[in-house]
Amino acid sequence: MPPRFHPTPLAAALAALVAQAPALAADTAGTPLTLNPVVVTGSRAEAASFDMPASIDVLDRDQITAGQPRINASEALVAVPGVVANNRQNYAQDLQISTRGFGARSAFGVRGVKLIADGIPASMPDGQGQAATFNLDVAERMEVLRGPYSAIYGNHSGGVIQLFTRKPAGRPSVEGGFAAGSYGTTKAELGAQGQLDGLGYVIDATRFKTDGYRDHSAATREQAFAKITTKPDDVSKLTFVVNGFWQRADDPLGLDWASYKSNPRGVVPNALTYDTRKSIDHLQGGVAYERRIGADTLQLSAYSGQRSVIQYQAIPISANPKNSGGIVDFDRDFYGFGGRWIAVRSAGGGRLTTTVGADYDVSKDNRTGYDNNLGVKSTQRRKEVDNVESLGAYVQSEWQRGDWSVSGGLRYSTVKFDITDQYLQNGNDGGGRNYSKTTPVLGVVYKLDPAINLYASAARGFETPTLNEMFYSGSGATAGSGFNFGLNPAKSLHLETGVKALVGNSSRVNLALFQVKTDDELVVLASSGGRTSYQNAGKTLRQGIELAFDTAWRRDLTSRFAFTLLRAIYDEGFASTTPVDAGNTMPGIPRTSAFGDLAWKPLPGVTAAVEGIYRSRTYVNDANSDTPAPSYAIANLRLTAEQKTGPWRFTEFARVDNLFDRNYIGSVIVGDGNGRYYEPAPGRNGMVGVNARYTW
């Protein structure tokens, strides 16, 4: 049995710091830092993040936008402990985002982490999501939840990342901005917001273009956003949101180790031979209604959307009748609705808040496949209808009295897959599978001091396979032999304990110790010829520490620090293409991650900051047999400025990433059958931008 992880030294060090909180409180001055923001993720009702028995961080608008190009969510998420957010330098495959190791093995997009924007899921019912649809130009804040309380969000919620866009407010204004940087990167934005005759509105449109750091990695992205709010009466509000996303991107694929060492900006010949690329057209809209009824609140929401994807993969034409071709082409219709009732009562000498709700989500793919004849669509090889629907009902309660707060919840989730095969030349591969699970969560908070909270929480969680993981079954000669309806959901037990401390009026410290035990972890069985099949492994174990420290040393000097130590291993060995031993490290998960920045305001409206990022080495396959991505440390610089004159406001930013021009692997493709695991990150690169706003 491998040794267990014992994080006692760091816990003792933090306890010593926390013990000094009352004394330090008397010596600190006021600060603009928001140390105890109100959040809704986790409890679903407004609550102070400091008082929740959960690890939850809030990134405000300045942290998302100041000195940032606002192209990828990874720009801001890198500062959150427990989260690994990698820009893959491949817009055809989106970001890699994982929380406490959940989602680390996703080949494309985001799995294992629930994505939500303005209450509308950015994750489909099967658990696969696209962070690229987050519109950062209109972001007000992001709430990032890890640990047990994520389970109340159902399937694939090893963590929850929720984006909230700006609320229309104030006098009407218009603004425009332009940014340009390395590798032919440009971004233009035009927007407007304000209130008019009882209606609030936010409108925004952007166009992003890049030649890419690597060869064959150019991308063009256009986004459009509109939000309208109104108040039918004094106790209700109505919100309409429309979000559009259109992208065309080349796919440089991964590199093997030798190719990376010889030319990190290069591509394998297959990427050019088959002209690997991807196009996405995505449009969705939603409506939300909220009404106060005495001390209670009713919330209703509904949404629908359409997504079309055409992807050209480096898969040769095959005589195998089960081969579904090298071109993926699907049109997806999706919709859903939800509702909840939040009741506040007095009970047992304390305050009781109870939330009862339900969510229903559906996606329907009309999916076809074709041979990729050297970059040209040819013979049809696949045609099917993929239906996935999920239904979740939940109840949550929190009781507060004196120094104690106890909360708990229960969610019942069911996920249904139904595949209708309309391409019968190679037999009928249709079928279905239903999954269901009840996931409880329990937490307690004790106020050791007005500035110190101790908490503990526990939950059960589960992850079904995604459609992508069910597409193929078998290995060797039988690889790609139809849908794998035999996959079971991964089931996990989450435990967490921690302390949150406000140090005076200028600092906050969060420390969390956690453990996750998982049965039936979903892992790669075989990967060959562009097809990856999956299986259920045995038990896995994740143990770790998360530490966050935000402070204002003085009014013109602030800093943030985030540290994660995560031991993620297979507790049991299992058979695969290469046998995997107990004690092996789970791939795609760095053991140590750290972020820190120091921001200085030498003049009003001017901020200069330095950032540091560290990642330890990362294994690339379950057997830990191939060269891991080495550890790296990089430094970034950013500069922002703001001027106001009459109705005008001007802002500028400049940033330099990878200041010392380090060569490193930015992300890995877990279990790639061709050994092309490595996705190189850029050397030294920069970007500058300007913005102007006029307010009536």
Side-chain angles (χ1 to χ4, degrees):
M1 178 68 68
R4 290 297 193 255
F5 177 63
H6 298 293
T8 51
L10 186 58
L14 185 87
L17 173 63
V18 167
Q20 299 302 314
L24 291 171
D27 299 327
T28 53
T31 171
L33 290 178
T34 303
L35 299 177
N36 190 14
V38 172
V39 296
V40 297
T41 308
S43 63
R44 300 182 188 266
E46 289 188 350
S49 65
F50 188 73
D51 296 328
M52 288 189 61
S55 294
I56 183 166
D57 285 76
V58 177
L59 298 167
D60 62 25
R61 178 162 177 78
D62 281 346
Q63 292 168 322
I64 297 171
T65 64
Q68 303 285 10
R70 306 186 306 277
I71 297 169
N72 299 297
S74 56
E75 299 163 7
L77 291 172
V78 69
V80 180
V83 175
V84 174
N86 296 325
N87 180 353
R88 303 177 63 180
Q89 307 303 317
N90 183 350
Y91 289 92
Q93 303 296 350
D94 205 359
L95 303 177
Q96 280 185 341
I97 300 178
S98 63
T99 60
R100 298 183 176 177
F102 287 91
R105 68 170 60 253
S106 179
F108 67 93
V110 179
R111 74 174 301 283
V113 182
K114 193 84 166 184
L115 303 177
I116 305 170
D118 281 329
I120 299 174
S123 298
M124 292 295 103
D126 69 335
Q128 195 82 38
Q130 306 293 323
T133 59
F134 278 4
N135 192 322
L136 303 179
D137 293 303
V138 294
E140 183 65 31
R141 72 184 194 278
M142 277 195 285
E143 298 179 4
V144 185
L145 174 68
R146 293 92 63 205
Y149 266 73
S150 305
I152 205 69
Y153 285 82
N155 182 33
H156 277 270
S157 52
V160 180
I161 300 175
Q162 191 159 190
L163 175 79
F164 298 88
T165 59
R166 294 201 303 262
K167 295 179 180 179
R171 291 176 294 173
S173 65
V174 295
E175 65 181 298
F178 182 78
S182 304
Y183 318 119
T185 300
T186 60
K187 182 184 175 186
E189 178 192 5
L190 185 63
Q193 71 163 11
Q195 291 179 316
L196 186 64
D197 296 331
L199 291 178
Y201 61 91
V202 176
I203 302 171
D204 189 82
T206 61
R207 189 175 195 272
F208 162 75
K209 185 178 183 299
T210 183
D211 295 333
Y213 163 67
R214 295 178 58 198
D215 297 337
H216 197 66
S217 63
T220 301
R221 175 191 295 176
E222 296 171 340
Q223 286 183 274
F225 177 87
K227 182 177 186 177
I228 298 175
T229 63
T230 184
K231 289 189 174 183
D233 51 49
D234 292 339
V235 295
S236 65
K237 60 182 179 181
L238 192 61
T239 303
F240 300 90
V241 176
V242 178
N243 186 32
F245 175 90
W246 302 271
Q247 180 174 279
R248 306 291 181 268
D250 292 332
D251 187 349
L253 306 178
L255 295 177
D256 59 39
W257 183 251
S259 299
Y260 161 68
K261 296 296 288 184
S262 64
N263 181 16
R265 299 189 66 173
V267 297
V268 295
N270 277 1
L272 303 178
T273 300
Y274 293 97
D275 193 11
T276 50
R277 61 197 190 271
K278 189 176 185 179
S279 64
I280 303 172
D281 297 314
H282 181 102
L283 182 65
Q284 66 182 49
V287 57
Y289 175 74
E290 181 175 311
R291 185 176 186 85
R292 296 195 311 273
I293 303 173
D296 300 348
T297 303
L298 172 66
Q299 297 175 342
L300 302 172
S301 63
Y303 70 93
S304 66
Q306 200 277 334
R307 182 180 181 91
S308 296
V309 174
I310 301 177
Q311 181 176 10
Y312 285 69
Q313 301 172 308
I315 299 177
I317 296 175
S318 170
N320 180 356
K322 291 290 187 180
N323 188 294
S324 56
I327 298 176
V328 176
D329 186 346
F330 71 83
D331 294 309
R332 172 178 296 160
D333 295 313
F334 58 93
Y335 63 90
F337 51 84
R340 65 182 64 96
W341 181 279
I342 304 171
V344 181
R345 299 287 186 272
S346 296
R351 183 173 183 266
L352 179 67
T353 303
T354 301
T355 302
V356 179
D359 300 312
Y360 179 67
D361 303 287
V362 176
S363 69
K364 178 181 179 180
D365 293 2
N366 288 294
R367 185 179 295 265
T368 53
Y370 301 88
D371 282 327
N372 183 351
N373 187 5
L374 306 181
V376 178
K377 182 188 291 187
S378 59
T379 308
Q380 183 171 343
R381 303 296 297 271
R382 180 177 190 169
K383 182 179 172 68
E384 69 203 35
V385 178
D386 304 331
N387 286 288
V388 186
E389 63 178 275
S390 67
L391 175 64
Y394 56 88
V395 58
Q396 296 174 250
S397 288
E398 180 187 34
W399 180 71
Q400 295 177 313
R401 180 182 176 183
D403 295 333
W404 290 91
S405 172
V406 180
S407 58
L410 197 67
R411 180 185 178 103
Y412 175 78
S413 300
T414 180
V415 184
K416 298 180 179 180
F417 293 81
D418 183 21
I419 312 300
T420 302
D421 190 353
Q422 298 177 341
Y423 185 83
L424 303 179
Q425 290 92 319
N426 59 359
N428 187 351
D429 291 326
R433 177 76 190 268
N434 296 344
Y435 302 92
S436 61
K437 185 70 174 176
T438 299
T439 51
V441 61
L442 180 66
V444 60
V445 178
Y446 173 65
K447 291 185 178 297
L448 182 65
D449 178 273
I452 303 174
N453 279 353
L454 306 178
Y455 73 91
S457 58
R460 296 277 186 182
F462 88 121
E463 293 180 274
T464 69
T466 64
L467 268 174
N468 180 66
E469 291 161 345
M470 296 179 73
F471 276 153
Y472 308 107
S473 61
S475 62
T478 64
S481 58
F483 276 83
N484 188 354
F485 296 114
L487 289 175
N488 294 319
K491 301 174 289 294
S492 52
L493 172 63
H494 300 248
L495 301 174
E496 178 178 331
T497 186
V499 57
K500 301 179 182 182
L502 298 174
V503 185
N505 297 319
S506 64
S507 303
R508 174 167 168 171
V509 181
N510 292 346
L511 173 72
L513 311 178
F514 63 87
Q515 176 175 282
V516 184
K517 291 185 175 182
T518 304
D519 292 320
D520 288 332
E521 187 89 39
L522 288 156
V523 300
V524 172
L525 170 63
S527 181
S528 177
R531 306 299 183 215
T532 301
S533 57
Y534 292 82
Q535 66 174 333
N536 292 107
K539 299 179 184 297
T540 62
L541 175 68
R542 297 172 174 91
Q543 296 173 312
I545 300 172
E546 293 172 2
L547 174 65
F549 177 58
D550 295 348
T551 188
W553 301 102
R554 58 192 193 199
R555 290 184 181 275
D556 62 348
L557 194 65
T558 61
S559 66
R560 294 180 294 166
F561 177 72
F563 173 82
T564 306
L565 184 61
L566 173 57
R567 177 176 179 263
I569 64 167
Y570 290 105
D571 241 6
E572 294 180 348
F574 60 93
S576 187
T577 305
T578 302
V580 176
D581 296 329
N584 277 15
T585 297
M586 297 174 67
I589 305 173
R591 183 179 178 90
T592 306
S593 301
F595 169 88
D597 75 358
L598 182 66
W600 177 45
K601 295 184 177 181
L603 297 169
V606 177
T607 302
V610 60
E611 304 168 354
I613 299 171
Y614 172 78
R615 296 272 173 79
S616 62
R617 69 177 181 176
T618 304
Y619 286 98
V620 297
N621 62 356
D622 293 320
N624 296 172
S625 56
D626 288 330
T627 304
S631 62
Y632 66 87
I634 60 170
N636 309 322
L637 292 178
R638 69 177 191 265
L639 177 68
T640 61
E642 179 180 3
Q643 310 86 39
K644 295 181 180 179
T645 174
W648 289 95
R649 188 205 70 169
F650 301 95
T651 59
E652 303 84 26
F653 83 89
R655 66 177 295 118
V656 179
D657 291 310
N658 194 0
L659 180 65
F660 299 108
D661 200 25
R662 305 295 191 194
N663 290 323
Y664 69 99
I665 302 294
S667 56
V668 299
I669 305 170
V670 172
D672 185 88
N674 299 298
R676 298 195 293 257
Y677 306 111
Y678 311 100
E679 295 181 305
R684 184 187 300 113
N685 64 98
M687 197 165 195
V688 296
V690 297
N691 179 277
R693 175 185 291 180
Y694 181 86
T695 302
W696 277 271

